[in-house]
Amino acid sequence: EREGRMRKVSYGAYANHAFRFYARNDSVMLPASAKAQGVSSIDVLNWTVCHEVLNSLTDQQKAAILDVYRRAGSVQENVAYAAAMHGMSENRLWQLLNSTIRLFAKSRGLL
């Protein structure tokens, strides 16, 4: 059980890092311009998976998740802010965030 918990923590942290990078670079079509920007191939892969996962959501869900990751501050503070901004409960946004992180982890082979 401890090993599974450690894995969950590490894939969650990895996914959070990837989504934060994506949210701050989502207006750029990163794969096409990565080399010119000096972005690593791992960051491009993570960006691409984030893009695919987020595009599977509704516009409102995607906007709420991007708001969580664009803002400075803790994820907890940002969830409270984004939930209020998008008219959803914090619990619903946490569920959405967790399922999105899980989809990312599965797509990247972390699960």
Side-chain angles (χ1 to χ4, degrees):
E1 181 190 2
R2 183 175 166 84
E3 185 177 311
R5 176 182 262 194
M6 293 298 285
R7 182 186 299 145
K8 182 177 182 185
V9 169
S10 62
Y11 85 68
Y14 187 82
N16 283 333
H17 175 78
F19 278 113
R20 192 171 292 271
F21 178 82
Y22 177 87
R24 294 174 182 178
N25 295 284
D26 71 319
S27 62
V28 177
M29 282 309 294
L30 188 60
S33 60
K35 197 166 192 173
Q37 294 180 44
V39 176
S40 76
S41 59
I42 296 296
D43 283 338
V44 171
L45 179 59
N46 288 341
W47 187 97
T48 302
V49 171
C50 289
H51 189 71
E52 291 168 358
V53 167
L54 290 173
N55 282 337
S56 72
L57 305 176
T58 68
D59 288 345
Q60 182 198 26
Q61 291 171 328
K62 181 178 178 178
I65 287 177
L66 288 173
D67 280 349
V68 168
Y69 288 112
R70 276 193 188 116
R71 292 177 50 87
S74 72
V75 174
Q76 290 82 3
E77 292 168 343
N78 296 348
V79 165
Y81 170 83
M85 291 298 296
H86 294 278
M88 62 175 67
S89 73
E90 286 183 42
N91 189 45
R92 182 166 166 244
L93 184 51
W94 276 113
Q95 289 173 340
L96 176 62
L97 202 56
N98 288 331
S99 66
T100 303
I101 287 169
R102 194 164 175 78
L103 274 175
F104 172 88
K106 281 185 178 179
S107 295
R108 286 290 281 117
L110 304 174
L111 278 178

